[in-house]
């Protein structure tokens, strides 16, 4: 069993993420983002980025609302998010854009494999992998990649005016390297926690239906952000990924 103090910390961390996500959900409903997909990105990112993401939204995300863009157009000016957002912050927003798709994909995949274990068998458990976790990671990647492409598509196509086929190609170029880098950080942290930290702390791994598992996932998403940030710096700087 996990120590009571750690169980409490896990619950508090998840509640904080939920509260931050709810706050930003209300904000994007009241003040929709100019880039529609960011209405999903901000609340989802707050689930793991908590107070830091909330600060980033109020400091920079509010520059990219529909209201702000319309006001700039009326004044004949550039959108405020393009003039008031430093390049490192644009890179961070690009990483969160990728990470929010990863987050949703990983949550869906983990619960699917937990509730329907046969799905893990389809993705290599008992054939390619003795360890179920590895098969679930394959499923995680498939779900995260699919959602990542969708998120990139709806960011790139409206801004560039691309056809559907061109949009898919551009989305694949923009998201593939970023998502791989994110998943490397996420998988690495989850492996460290599940194979070493939790067995030392509690004598067992955390099952998917435990708060300790999702607390670890929260931290793993932060690790994914850190490993994907340099890749997003290159993608945004080279114009492969849109500046946000």
């Amino acid at each position: 069993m996990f120590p009571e103090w750690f169980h409490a910390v896990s619950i508090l961390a998840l509640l904080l993420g939920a509260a931050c996500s709810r706050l930003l959900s209300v904000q994007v409903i009241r003040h929709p983002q100019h880039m529609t997909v960011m209405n999903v990105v901000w609340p989802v990112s707050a689930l793991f980025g908590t107070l830091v993401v909330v600060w980033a939204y109020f400091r920079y995300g509010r520059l990219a609302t529909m209201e702000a863009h319309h006001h700039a157009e009326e004044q004949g000016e550039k959108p405020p998010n393009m003039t008031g957002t430093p390049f490192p912050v644009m890179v961070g927003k690009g990483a969160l854009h990728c990470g929010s798709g990863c987050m949703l994909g990983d949550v869906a995949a983990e619960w699917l494999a937990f509730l329907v274990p046969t799905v893990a068998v389809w993705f290599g458990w008992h054939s390619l992998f003795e360890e179920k976790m590895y098969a679930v990671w394959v499923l995680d990647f498939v779900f995260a990649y699919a959602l990542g492409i969708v998120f990139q598509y709806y960011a790139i196509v409206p801004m560039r005016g691309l056809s559907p086929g061109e949009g898919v190609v551009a989305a694949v170029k923009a998201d593939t390297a970023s998502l791989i880098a994110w998943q490397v950080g996420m998988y690495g942290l989850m492996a460290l926690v599940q194979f070493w930290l939790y067995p030392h702390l509690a004598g067992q791994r955390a099952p998917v239906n435990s708060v300790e598992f999702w607390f670890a996932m929260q931290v793993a998403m932060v690790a994914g952000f850190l490993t994907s940030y340099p890749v997003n710096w290159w993608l945004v700087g080279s114009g492969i990924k849109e500046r946000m």
Side-chain angles (χ1 to χ4, degrees):
M1 297 292 292
F2 287 91
E4 290 186 8
W5 67 266
F6 190 78
H7 184 71
V9 168
S10 300
I11 292 173
L12 289 174
L14 295 176
L15 288 176
L16 177 60
C20 291
S21 179
R22 180 177 175 80
L23 172 63
L24 295 195
S25 295
V26 171
Q27 289 298 314
V28 296
I29 290 171
R30 293 177 176 174
H31 309 282
Q33 294 278 293
H34 182 259
M35 187 181 292
T36 305
V37 72
M38 294 302 292
N39 294 321
V40 178
V41 171
W42 283 114
V44 171
S45 298
L47 289 170
F48 59 87
T50 64
L51 297 176
V52 175
V53 171
V54 169
W55 172 83
Y57 170 80
F58 282 102
R59 177 63 180 85
Y60 297 107
R62 289 293 292 268
L63 298 176
T65 62
M66 294 289 291
E67 301 161 301
H69 271 248
H70 288 159
H71 180 73
E73 289 176 357
E74 291 172 356
Q75 300 297 319
E77 302 171 349
K78 289 185 178 180
N81 63 303
M82 291 299 172
T83 57
T85 306
F87 182 74
V89 176
M90 290 185 177
V91 174
K93 289 173 68 177
L96 290 179
H97 186 270
C98 167
S100 57
C102 291
M103 177 76 180
L104 293 174
D106 290 337
V107 169
E110 291 289 346
W111 278 114
L112 178 61
F114 177 78
L115 296 172
V116 188
T118 304
V119 174
V121 176
W122 297 343
F123 283 84
W125 188 27
H126 298 317
S127 56
L128 297 176
F129 312 109
E130 286 299 318
E131 176 57 58
K132 180 183 177 182
M133 186 185 299
Y134 299 146
V136 177
W137 283 357
V138 176
L139 179 62
D140 285 349
F141 186 88
V142 171
F143 275 40
Y145 190 56
L147 281 171
I149 296 301
V150 171
F151 275 37
Q152 285 298 332
Y153 179 90
Y154 285 104
I156 290 174
V157 169
M159 295 186 73
R160 299 185 187 178
L162 302 176
S163 68
E166 293 171 333
V168 171
V169 172
V172 169
K173 289 181 179 179
D175 198 63
T176 301
S178 177
L179 182 134
I180 290 173
W182 186 288
Q183 295 295 86
V184 166
M186 189 273 284
Y187 290 158
L189 197 289
M190 286 301 290
L192 178 66
V193 169
Q194 289 285 61
F195 289 127
W196 179 77
L197 179 60
Y198 280 179
H200 278 72
L201 183 65
Q204 64 179 33
R205 300 178 194 170
V208 172
N209 63 338
S210 68
V211 293
E212 289 81 8
F213 179 90
W214 293 106
F215 175 47
M217 184 68 80
Q218 229 180 5
V219 180
M221 288 296 165
V222 176
F225 175 85
L226 295 176
T227 54
S228 71
Y229 189 88
V231 175
N232 277 276
W233 188 288
W234 170 70
L235 289 170
V236 175
S238 61
I240 297 174
K241 202 167 185 176
E242 290 297 324
R243 299 190 177 208
M244 300 181 185

